[in-house]
Structures are given as C-alpha cells and as structure tokens.
Amino acid sequence: KSGEQSQGVRPFSQEAYLASQKADLNAGRGAPVPKGVDRKSMALTSLTDGKVAFEMIDEKREGLLDRGQARCWLRAMGWCVLDAELDAMLSGDASEKPSASRTAARMGIHNPERTKWGLNQLLQINDANAHRQNSSLKQLQAALRRLSNNRARISRDRLSEFTTSDADGFSELDLSQVLAAVGSFSSKQLDVDQLSVKVLDRICDPPSMAELADLGFDVARVAGAP
C-alpha cells in the first residue's frame, strides 16, 4: 500500500466507486438540445430515466419494443425529429457521420430488417446518434406557420385537426396535456413563435404530473371520466 501511494496510485475506495456508479446512472445521455433553445442539456434522460421510460412503454413486459414503441422511447430521450429520421436511427443509418456508421456496425445495431429492440440496443442507438441535429426552434416555428397559413397565431382547433387526424398521432388527451405543459391549456388561440419556444423548452425539461395539475390539467376531467 505504501509503495502504491509513493508512486501516486490512489488506493481503491468503495465509497468513491459507488458514488461514481450513481453519477453514471444519473448523468444525462439524451438527445442534443434543439438549436435555439436556451438550455444546456436534456432533463430526465439519464440511464435510470431511460429504464423507467422503457418499462412504461413495454406494457406487455416482453423486454422488447416494436418500431412504434421504440420511436416513443427515443422521443422520451428528447428526440424531436420526424418518424423517418427515427426509423433511420433504429436501422443503424448514421450516414451523417461515417464514423458513427462504423461504430453502429461494430456494436451490432446496424440492421435495417430489425423489428424489435431491447433497452441496451436502444441506448446504443441513442449514443451512436449523438452527433445528429435534433430539430431547431426555427424549424418548429416554420412548421407551425405553414400550419397556420402563415399567420402569427394558430387556433387550438387547427392544432387538434392536424395532430389527431392520423391514427398513430395524438389523441385529444395528448394535445391537452401538451398545451397544459406550456401553460396554454385553456387558450383558443396561440402565438406561433411563443408556442414553439415553450414546446421545445418543455421537451428539454418535462413537467411532472403535479406541475401539470397546477397548470390546470386534470387527466380524469379531460378524459371525461365520471
């Protein structure tokens, strides 16, 4: 021991090791923050958060997620891009950065024909795509302006019409929850630019159910429960 100390080698400390392990579990490892958002990192995207999200999505307890569920998991890790880009990530296509494609191949996650993903595979996919751009404030503002026919404000009805038109899209409950999260639960008209900022900010730092309740969102009331 004295020899190790004299050579500058620190003795093993179980306390330090456990602290390091805990830090790794709680370290953020989510998607990059969208450009234009005034935040340094994504909240609720640690390894522990990723496991919780996986278990919540894996309702049948199969230990595997299908494509739609895997997309949901990636979104839970902060990715706010189109389904096509999420599918490219799931297939191991990291073509924006050749070195990432080679890394994906070495890790065995480059498989265009895969239809199910486990937690470790999804974590590897998330990490292998850390170089990707994760949308931006300008992109969301432009999309909402197109949806509002280039007006500065957009109606809740127009948002509802667009987001709930697809069977795999939002439900009215989902839309109500999003609007509550950005403090616009009761709004009939929303400012496009402000809505864009608030949505992306909430993606980076999601509210708890208690916060949503404070913002006026009651799941039972909105869902029409007796």
Side-chain angles (χ1 to χ4, degrees), residues 44-223:
L44 301 180
T45 58
S46 68
L47 178 58
T48 300
D49 296 318
K51 288 180 177 179
V52 171
F54 187 95
E55 291 170 359
M56 291 178 66
I57 297 170
D58 183 22
E59 295 179 348
K60 295 182 180 180
R61 298 295 181 265
E62 295 177 337
L64 294 170
L65 303 183
D66 63 24
R67 184 171 296 275
Q69 293 172 319
R71 289 174 183 164
C72 287
W73 186 88
L74 288 170
R75 294 196 190 285
M77 295 300 282
W79 291 99
C80 44
V81 295
L82 297 175
D83 285 350
E85 188 161 356
L86 294 179
D87 288 343
M89 292 166 61
L90 291 170
S91 298
D93 178 11
S95 55
E96 294 179 13
K97 190 174 181 181
S99 60
S101 292
R102 293 193 294 271
T103 299
R106 287 199 306 272
M107 297 167 76
I109 58 177
H110 184 80
N111 184 352
E113 298 180 0
R114 187 185 299 279
T115 59
K116 297 274 189 175
W117 293 264
L119 175 60
N120 287 337
Q121 290 166 328
L122 289 173
L123 288 168
Q124 291 169 353
I125 287 169
N126 181 70
D127 292 347
N129 286 276
H131 65 281
R132 285 184 184 268
Q133 179 177 322
N134 185 24
S135 189
S136 71
L137 178 59
K138 286 185 178 180
Q139 286 177 322
L140 182 54
Q141 288 173 335
L144 287 175
R145 283 192 177 276
R146 287 195 299 270
L147 194 61
S148 66
N149 293 321
N150 208 33
R151 295 186 177 93
R153 299 178 72 81
I154 187 170
S155 70
R156 181 191 176 116
D157 289 342
R158 180 67 180 119
L159 286 173
S160 176
E161 177 188 353
F162 177 76
T163 58
T164 63
S165 60
D166 191 328
D168 295 325
F170 271 24
S171 65
E172 284 290 346
L173 180 62
D174 293 329
L175 178 59
S176 295
Q177 185 170 350
V178 170
L179 294 179
V182 298
S184 301
F185 179 68
S186 301
S187 300
K188 300 299 182 183
Q189 294 283 332
L190 302 102
D191 182 277
V192 167
D193 290 341
Q194 290 182 10
L195 178 60
S196 300
V197 171
K198 291 178 180 179
V199 166
L200 290 181
D201 186 69
R202 277 312 199 180
I203 287 174
C204 295
D205 187 17
S208 66
M209 291 307 295
E211 288 179 276
L212 285 175
D214 290 340
L215 291 167
F217 181 74
D218 184 322
V219 175
R221 180 170 62 83
V222 174

